[in-house]
């Protein structure tokens, strides 16, 4: 019997990885950051897939680096989008909290979710049935996709190779850590030969990586401040990528304008936001999450800077139209 083929595209920031499920039906899992849409199309066409051939887009969750290409594919090719019920309803209602876009200051062009997915639903591709697994933690509506015959897992940002997705207690709830741990516990019961994460390389030893992820979350349970530092640095590193760095004079006013910075400074570190700026920058440098290049702070992770004009657009749910 023919096997369903998985095409895995490991992508540099600010885009998340994209995965193609190729069978009688062809699905694209996660469309990358919005400014990278030309590259997303190139990945498909180079693999011999015309965008118009796609039967659907499936989002593991609604962060900008995973859903940024949805708008383009819908406008240009009328491709339907599937996502978890909770997040899909928020997007369709233009809820201001959709995609975490305002909280994180990340542009996302408006899109619509046509198929609202629920836990244990099956997505039929022809020769395979991918099981939708609700795996909350990183976001409340995060999902993974599991194909039991070939023992394949598309895991989004629940876990990566030697890493985990950051956790947002202020928008996903104070129990996001416990939810993420329980989601990992659920996956650990499955027979998985290969996993495809939202960032980084494909995982050949998924159960080992799940165990490592659980160990890290256990440490965060013992020391929640570590989880907060991890989140702050991830959020700001992403900002530095999409803005291609910030000049020293821009940093303090920018941070003080951000909802996420206020919440973490005040509630996680018991500090006034203006007093937390320097300790935060010191930690960014100490941990090598960022570095100074002349008078500009830049992210150290590999990334492809978006066109500055694209980033200037204020594409956020508050400006979407019903």
């Amino acid at each position: 019997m023919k096997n369903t083929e998985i095409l895995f595209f490991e992508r540099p920031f600010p885009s998340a990885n994209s995965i193609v499920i190729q069978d009688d039906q062809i699905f694209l899992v996660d469309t990358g950051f919005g400014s990278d849409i030309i590259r997303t199309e190139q990945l498909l066409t180079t693999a011999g897939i015309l965008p118009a051939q796609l039967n659907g887009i499936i989002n593991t969750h609604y962060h900008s680096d995973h859903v940024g290409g949805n708008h383009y594919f819908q406008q240009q090719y009328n491709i339907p989008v599937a996502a978890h019920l909770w997040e899909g309803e928020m997007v369709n209602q233009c809820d201001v909290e959709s995609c975490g876009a305002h909280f994180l200051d990340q542009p996302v062009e408006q899109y619509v979710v046509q198929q609202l997915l629920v836990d244990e639903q099956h997505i039929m591709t022809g020769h395979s049935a991918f099981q939708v697994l609700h795996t909350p933690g990183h976001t409340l509506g995060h999902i993974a996709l599991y194909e039991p015959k070939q023992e394949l897992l598309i895991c989004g940002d629940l876990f990566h190779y030697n890493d985990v997705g950051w956790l947002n207690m202020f928008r996903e709830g104070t129990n996001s850590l416990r939810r993420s741990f329980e989601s990992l516990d659920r996956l650990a019961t499955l027979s998985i030969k290969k996993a495809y994460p939202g960032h980084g390389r494909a995982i050949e030893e998924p159960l080992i990586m799940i165990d490592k992820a659980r160990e890290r979350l256990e440490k965060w349970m013992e020391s929640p401040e570590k989880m907060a530092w991890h989140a702050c640095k991830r959020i700001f590193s992403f900002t530095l990528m999409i803005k291609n760095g910030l000049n020293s004079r821009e940093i303090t006013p920018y941070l003080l304008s951000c909802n996420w910075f206020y919440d973490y400074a005040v509630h996680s570190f018991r500090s006034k936001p203006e007093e937390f700026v320097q300790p935060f920058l010191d930690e960014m440098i100490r941990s090598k999450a960022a570095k100074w290049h002349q008078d500009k702070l830049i992210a150290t992770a590999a990334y492809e800077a978006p066109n500055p004009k694209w980033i200037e657009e204020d594409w956020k749910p508050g400006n979407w139209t019903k």
Side-chain angles (χ1 to χ4, degrees), residues 11-12 15 28 35 40 67 85 118 128 237 242-243 278 290 298:
R11 308 184 66 175
S15 280
L28 174 62
S35 63
T40 307
V67 305
L85 169 69
V118 296
S128 297
S237 291
I242 65 175
K243 293 182 178 294
Q278 193 57 53
I298 60 174

Side-chain angles (χ1 to χ4, degrees), residues 34-255:
S35 63
D36 287 345
I37 189 60
I38 293 175
R39 178 62 179 147
T40 307
E41 276 198 298
Q42 289 174 342
L43 291 172
L44 292 172
T45 56
T46 300
I49 300 167
L50 296 176
Q53 291 179 291
L54 293 174
N55 296 99
I57 290 165
I58 306 169
N59 292 142
T60 58
H61 60 292
Y62 64 3
H63 282 160
S64 66
D65 52 331
H66 294 257
V67 305
N70 289 6
H71 174 88
Y72 178 85
F73 280 113
Q74 288 192 324
Q75 294 297 310
Q76 293 296 316
Y77 304 107
N78 198 30
I79 308 298
V81 171
H84 188 269
L85 169 69
W86 295 350
E87 295 183 355
E89 286 187 338
M90 289 178 67
V91 166
N92 292 347
Q93 293 165 5
C94 302
D95 191 305
V96 72
E97 293 289 342
S98 296
C99 307
H102 288 281
F103 179 74
L104 298 170
D105 186 30
Q106 295 174 8
V108 181
E109 291 179 274
Q110 184 173 2
Y111 65 98
V112 177
V113 178
Q114 285 86 359
Q115 185 177 7
L116 302 172
L117 303 173
V118 296
D119 189 42
E120 296 190 354
Q121 181 174 342
H122 287 84
I123 298 174
M124 309 304 296
T125 64
H127 295 85
S128 297
F130 281 76
Q131 186 177 10
V132 175
L133 302 177
H134 185 207
T135 49
H138 182 61
T139 68
L140 281 172
H142 190 285
I143 62 169
L145 300 172
Y146 178 60
E147 202 289 302
K149 289 191 301 183
Q150 294 177 251
E151 301 180 348
L152 303 175
L153 178 74
I154 299 171
C155 55
D157 283 355
L158 179 58
F159 71 97
H160 307 137
Y161 184 86
N162 278 332
D163 202 359
V164 293
W166 67 281
L167 299 179
N168 183 359
M169 70 185 91
F170 298 110
R171 286 301 185 271
E172 305 301 335
T174 54
N175 284 327
S176 59
L177 177 56
R178 174 56 63 184
R179 290 191 189 99
S180 190
F181 196 88
E182 290 179 352
S183 293
L184 288 168
D185 278 349
R186 181 182 187 185
L187 296 188
T189 66
L190 303 176
S191 180
I192 310 169
K193 289 182 178 177
K194 195 166 188 176
Y196 301 96
H199 297 280
R201 63 192 241 189
I203 300 171
E204 303 287 348
E205 52 285 298
L207 294 179
I208 293 175
M209 289 301 122
I210 289 172
D211 283 342
K212 287 188 175 184
R214 289 192 294 184
E215 289 172 6
R216 187 164 192 180
L217 296 190
E218 284 174 346
K219 292 178 180 178
W220 286 356
M221 289 177 185
E222 296 170 0
S223 180
E225 187 173 288
K226 292 180 179 179
M227 179 176 71
W229 275 119
H230 183 261
C232 283
K233 290 188 286 186
R234 287 293 175 90
I235 296 168
F236 192 47
S237 291
F238 195 84
T239 295
L240 294 176
M241 293 172 194
I242 65 175
K243 293 182 178 294
N244 201 20
L246 287 171
N247 293 321
S248 59
R249 67 183 179 278
E250 300 176 297
I251 293 173
T252 296
Y254 176 77
L255 288 174

Side-chain angles (χ1 to χ4, degrees), residues 267-302:
H267 301 296
S268 293
F269 298 104
R270 303 292 189 269
S271 175
K272 295 180 179 179
E274 59 271 18
E275 294 175 355
F276 186 60
V277 171
Q278 193 57 53
F280 176 61
L281 294 179
D282 290 344
E283 176 58 19
M284 290 289 295
I285 299 298
R286 185 206 65 79
S287 65
K288 299 182 180 180
K291 63 182 179 181
W292 290 103
H293 180 69
Q294 297 177 348
D295 192 42
K296 200 172 191 180
L297 188 67
I298 60 174
T300 55

